[in-house]
Amino acid sequence: MILAASQVVTPARVLAPGWLLLDGDRIVEVGEGAPPREPDVDLGGATVVPGFVDLHVHGGGGASFDLGTADAAAVVADTHLAHGTTSMAASLVTDSPQRMADAVRELALLVQDGRLAGIHLEGPWLSPQRSGAHQPGSLTHPDPAAVQALLAAGDPSTGSGRRGAVRMVTLAPELPGGIEAVRQLDDAGVVAAIGHTDATYDESRAALDAGARLGTHLFNAMRPLHHRDPGPVGALLDSPVDVELIADGVHLHPAVLRMVFAAAPGRAVLVTDAMAAAGAPDGAYRLGPMAIEVRDGVARLADGSGTGAIAGSTLTMDAAVRFAVRTAGLPLLDVVHAASTAPARVWGLDDVGALEAGRRADLVVLDEDLHVDRTMRAGAWVSPSSIRA
């Protein structure tokens, strides 16, 4: 099948016009100008980008991954798939060790069958000073046995404690045992991410030297950047590692997005940090054990005032792309890299994240306003559209 469009976004540049040759679930060729024959699908003025890869998702469509059930996970995945996310993490917030292990075991089955790209543990090894929407009473210090237990829960075939379904863990490296936990995760092939942390610059650098490879939602729930105390933000931007950004206009000002893209070219990773209310109405929700109130699309801890701590987002990745391009004024090529290519690289997902020969045929068709028109996953259209082949 040949698809032709006004723009096709590749890792190196935007082809205008461009085309793709697909064979089954694979991309065979990508080219610029007129296709070699009449296209099977002419997408007109649309822009084709690679399927989005979201490494930080808690929920959507009214459901949450922390329920640990296939039905809930299907609702979340389908909600974000309709918004262009073709590969996604199941992120779990801090809860009791037993409930987290149970959820990991259940979700690991969905990683095995390919519905999920992996599991991200956001806690329980986080700073009480930067807990955000995590239950303070459930936060603990990492120890080797506890880390291995959760990794083993995601590896039902062997229980080895090496990387199975768990692909990323966010932790505060300044906690007792934090640096050792980073080394343990790195040795297991798991991405250790610095987040929910009150670490100093030196403590953050020690974690990076030990193998940490990502900053979780940069600026949010971490010691702020100061010109005499750069903290984790300064350490992450001063190192060749990737950093998550939540581009919803609530977590970060557009100017901050521009500054990070300029300071860390190619290292920005857009994430949604979406909770259950993404793709669902305002109202009362839960994020793990925490009660959440969503007003005007902003999720906060429920305290009756509507001004509690931000508790994830109601963002979808297509909206993040629109915000980064239309509001922050960032180049489409750089934003697509941050929404697809960079996150795939962080997790070693070599099969997705870019429109190039040999990759899986995951793509998103965007209209002139960068809204999703239709989505393809593994060579099959998976969302409705006015366009028909």
Side-chain angles (χ1 to χ4, degrees), residues 95-305:
D95 208 327
S96 72
Q98 186 61 54
R99 281 193 289 268
M100 291 190 75
D102 288 345
V104 168
R105 273 189 286 272
E106 292 300 316
L107 293 170
L109 301 175
L110 303 179
V111 177
Q112 288 182 321
D113 70 17
R115 177 172 281 273
L116 299 173
I119 297 169
H120 162 215
L121 303 180
E122 191 178 12
W125 306 302
L126 309 177
S127 166
Q129 287 75 38
R130 306 289 175 180
S131 58
H134 293 257
Q135 190 172 50
S138 296
L139 299 177
T140 62
H141 299 162
D143 68 76
V147 173
Q148 182 171 337
L150 281 177
L151 296 186
D155 188 5
S157 62
T158 66
S160 66
R162 290 191 60 78
R163 190 191 79 191
V166 177
R167 299 189 72 110
M168 184 164 79
V169 174
T170 294
L171 78 165
E174 73 276 15
L175 296 176
I179 300 301
E180 292 78 7
V182 169
R183 292 194 184 98
Q184 182 179 359
L185 293 168
D186 188 52
D187 288 345
V190 176
V191 174
I194 297 173
H196 286 272
T197 176
D198 200 41
T200 64
Y201 176 87
D202 289 341
E203 289 168 332
S204 302
R205 285 304 304 241
L208 293 164
D209 291 342
R213 292 189 277 140
L214 185 73
T216 295
H217 44 53
L218 191 71
F219 294 100
N220 299 117
M222 60 176 60
R223 180 192 290 250
L225 177 70
H226 186 276
H227 59 284
R228 287 190 296 271
D229 179 17
V233 175
L236 288 160
L237 292 179
D238 196 32
S239 304
V241 297
D242 299 280
V243 291
E244 291 182 356
L245 300 169
I246 306 173
D248 63 351
V250 175
H251 286 78
L252 299 172
H253 191 280
V256 173
L257 289 178
R258 290 192 295 271
M259 286 189 290
V260 174
F261 270 73
R267 298 192 282 122
V269 174
L270 292 183
V271 296
T272 62
D273 195 11
M275 44 78 70
D282 286 359
Y285 293 88
R286 299 198 73 81
L287 183 58
M290 306 295 282
I292 308 299
E293 183 178 13
V294 179
R295 295 185 185 179
D296 299 323
V298 179
R300 296 183 180 276
L301 289 180
D303 62 1
S305 70

